[in-house]
């Protein structure tokens, strides 16, 4: 008992040192626990990958090659280290030749993929949504028969599509590593699924630039504008997002009204009007030995859309809107497994600004919530004609998969099942 009393007095008399020691001990225990769990996790994934990699290939068959498009600035410039620690070993053990391409400028990934003389077995994007969008744009600008599966490694700050595919919610360090390992092992397993893309074209211009493709969302409005300024408040550390809304909730430089004219068409499962020229990407062979296995059934290419009539497909609806926020998202970000290809147009509240907007935005940032729309419209395509366009005097921007594009009249349309993406293997219950 006397020992306990002396120990308690020592703690009380040296409370600062005791507090520091307790915090250091707690951190050390947490670090050791995470390290132990990560090592066990990586051992499991590497052992599975080695099983695939140890399988012998026939002599004329070349090893599969994967190109990794790495954004070295992603994840606070730790993307390369993260990839090399948790994804690259799995790919090598799985029998893949890995070629790393580091992006050095905006548009580098798009140009690289678009100009590749020969596509590899797979393309992996180690970066955020912007890098993924660039790679997908480069891939979709090629001929329809020139497609290969594409995957995303969630190493960027914004990775909505990757988090959706690999089911990452409020990730811890262990969950982040697990998501990376899942993304890498999905390539080894060759587990792919078709995914929609969103095609964005500038209209009403004499020179028609090439379209841009996205897999996630198009955003426009006050929330987007303020979130794009958050890095200016880096000195607030973890509070920089909240500081951005505090200092800009009353600014005149923010798009408080997304006033525009919309012309949209209803979703369509496919007909001679919207999909007659569409060619879905060909599925990959599972493993090399599948070429020796006779097919018991003929391969079904798909319906002949040129013979399908849908008179409602070409009917255009018009709507005038002026919300504080405007979003267009693909099925890749939706919670429900909608079967009909479509874009979801989400309209926020009108006239929301000042203290109300700031407090609501703080709540969204704290709880990591998406936009809660006042009105939702499902569409196959939509033409957006903004009342005010971006000019040299005042620059206004959309965010297309977190990349800035000037506010101009655009046509947004869904490209159903345009690419094959690597996904997490589903286990039967």
């Amino acid at each position: 008992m006397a020992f306990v009393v002396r120990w308690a007095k020592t703690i009380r008399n040296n409370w600062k040192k005791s507090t520091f020691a307790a915090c250091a001990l707690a951190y050390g225990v947490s670090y050791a626990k995470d390290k132990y769990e990560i090592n066990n996790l990586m051992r499991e994934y590497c052992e599975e990958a080695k099983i695939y990699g140890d399988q012998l290939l026939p002599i004329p068959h070349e090893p599969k090659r994967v190109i990794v498009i790495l954004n070295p600035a992603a994840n606070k410039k730790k993307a390369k280290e993260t990839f090399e620690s948790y994804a690259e070993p799995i790919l090598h053990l799985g029998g893949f030749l890995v070629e790393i391409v580091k992006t050095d400028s905006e548009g580098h990934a798009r140009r690289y993929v678009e100009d590749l003389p020969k596509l590899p077995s797979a393309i992996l994007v180690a970066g955020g949504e912007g890098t993924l969008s660039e790679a997908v744009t480069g891939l979709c600008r090629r001929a329809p028969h020139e497609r290969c599966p594409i995957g995303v490694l969630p190493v960027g700050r914004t990775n909505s599509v990757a988090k959706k595919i690999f089911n990452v919610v409020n990730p811890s360090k262990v969950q982040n590593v697990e998501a990376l390992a899942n993304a890498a092992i999905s390539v080894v397993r060759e587990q792919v699924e078709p995914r929609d893309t969103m095609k964005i074209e500038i209209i009403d211009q004499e020179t028609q630039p090439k379209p841009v493709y996205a897999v996630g969302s198009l955003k426009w409005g006050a929330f987007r504008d303020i979130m794009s300024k958050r890095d200016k408040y880096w000195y607030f550390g973890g509070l920089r997002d909240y500081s951005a809304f505090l200092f800009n909730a009353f600014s005149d430089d923010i798009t408080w009204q997304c006033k525009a004219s919309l012309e949209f068409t209803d979703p369509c499962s496919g007909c001679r009007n919207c999909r007659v020229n569409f060619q879905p990407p060909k599925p990959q062979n599972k493993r090399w030995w599948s070429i020796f296995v006779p097919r018991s059934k003929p391969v079904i290419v798909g319906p002949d859309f040129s013979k399908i009539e849908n008179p409602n497909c070409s009917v255009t609806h018009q709507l005038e809107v002026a919300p504080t926020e405007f979003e267009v998202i693909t099925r890749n970000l939706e919670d429900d497994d909608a079967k009909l290809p479509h874009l979801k147009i989400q309209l926020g509240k009108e006239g929301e600004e000042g203290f109300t907007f700031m407090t609501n935005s703080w709540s969204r940032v704290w709880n990591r919530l998406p936009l809660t729309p006042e009105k939702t419209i499902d569409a196959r395509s939509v033409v957006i004609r903004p009342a005010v366009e971006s000019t040299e005097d005042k620059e206004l921007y959309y965010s297309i998969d977190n990349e800035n594009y000037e506010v101009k009249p655009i046509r947004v349309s869904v490209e159903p099942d345009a690419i094959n993406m690597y996904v997490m293997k589903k286990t039967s219950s």
Side-chain angles (χ1 to χ4, degrees), residues 376-404:
T376 300
I377 303 169
D378 288 346
R380 176 179 60 83
S381 66
V382 57
V383 173
I384 306 171
R385 300 183 188 276
V388 179
E389 300 180 25
S390 179
T391 62
E392 294 183 358
D393 297 330
K394 186 174 182 179
E395 295 179 338
L396 305 173
Y397 294 101
Y398 303 118
S399 276
I400 300 175
D401 276 357
N402 210 44
E403 287 292 307
N404 292 338

Side-chain angles (χ1 to χ4, degrees), residues 135-401:
V136 169
T137 297
L139 191 63
C140 290
R141 285 180 179 178
R142 301 174 70 97
H145 63 277
E146 293 183 353
R147 302 282 170 88
C148 69
I150 188 167
V152 55
L153 300 172
V155 299
R157 180 171 63 179
T158 55
N159 260 312
S160 302
V161 174
K163 289 178 180 178
K164 197 71 179 176
I165 290 175
F166 300 108
N167 195 27
V168 181
V169 181
N170 297 331
S172 63
K173 185 175 181 180
V174 176
Q175 289 172 331
N176 276 326
V177 172
E178 186 175 14
L180 272 169
N182 274 325
I185 201 68
S186 67
V187 180
V188 177
R189 293 169 178 163
E190 298 187 1
Q191 188 80 12
V192 296
E193 286 184 0
R195 285 289 188 268
D196 296 349
T197 61
M198 184 165 54
K199 182 179 180 182
I200 300 102
E201 304 168 281
I202 297 178
I203 59 175
D204 299 344
Q205 286 193 0
E206 294 182 1
T207 58
Q208 186 70 25
K210 292 182 179 180
V212 172
Y213 294 84
V215 292
S217 63
L218 180 149
K219 299 181 180 180
W220 178 30
F223 191 87
R224 185 229 76 91
D225 288 355
I226 294 179
M227 287 297 283
S228 68
K229 298 175 181 289
R230 58 183 171 178
D231 287 340
K232 292 172 56 178
Y233 304 96
W234 59 268
Y235 43 84
F236 285 100
L239 298 176
R240 61 181 174 182
D241 289 0
Y242 305 96
S243 303
F245 286 99
L246 176 64
F247 294 116
N248 292 279
F250 303 92
S251 174
D252 293 333
D253 294 332
I254 304 301
T255 306
W256 293 109
Q257 192 179 50
C258 301
K259 190 174 183 180
S261 172
L262 306 183
E263 301 172 11
F264 62 92
T265 57
D266 293 327
C268 177
S269 58
C271 68
R272 63 186 304 172
N273 176 60
C274 63
R275 297 187 72 180
V276 65
N277 296 321
F278 174 72
Q279 298 182 22
K282 295 181 180 179
Q284 296 290 106
N285 289 331
K286 292 296 181 183
R287 301 303 294 178
W288 63 266
W289 59 78
S290 61
I291 62 176
F292 300 106
V293 179
R295 295 190 180 101
S296 58
K297 295 181 180 180
V299 177
I300 300 175
V301 177
D304 185 358
F305 294 112
S306 63
K307 297 180 180 179
I308 300 176
E309 293 281 354
N310 181 8
N312 295 324
C313 181
S314 57
V315 176
T316 302
H317 309 278
Q318 294 188 345
L319 183 66
E320 300 294 327
V321 298
T324 305
E325 289 183 71
F326 179 96
E327 289 187 5
V328 182
I329 66 173
T330 65
R331 288 189 295 175
N332 303 327
L333 295 183
E334 292 188 43
D335 293 326
D336 56 336
D337 296 328
K339 305 222 181 260
L340 194 63
H342 69 277
L343 299 172
K344 189 175 288 294
I345 304 170
Q346 300 188 136
L347 306 176
K349 296 180 180 178
E350 294 188 12
E352 186 183 33
E353 54 184 286
F355 284 109
T356 303
F357 175 80
M358 182 175 65
T359 54
N360 290 341
S361 298
W362 280 352
S363 177
R364 281 179 61 183
V365 171
W366 175 261
N367 296 295
R368 302 184 183 186
L369 296 174
L371 168 66
T372 302
E374 291 288 296
K375 184 174 183 179
T376 300
I377 303 169
D378 288 346
R380 176 179 60 83
S381 66
V382 57
V383 173
I384 306 171
R385 300 183 188 276
V388 179
E389 300 180 25
S390 179
T391 62
E392 294 183 358
D393 297 330
K394 186 174 182 179
E395 295 179 338
L396 305 173
Y397 294 101
Y398 303 118
S399 276
I400 300 175
D401 276 357

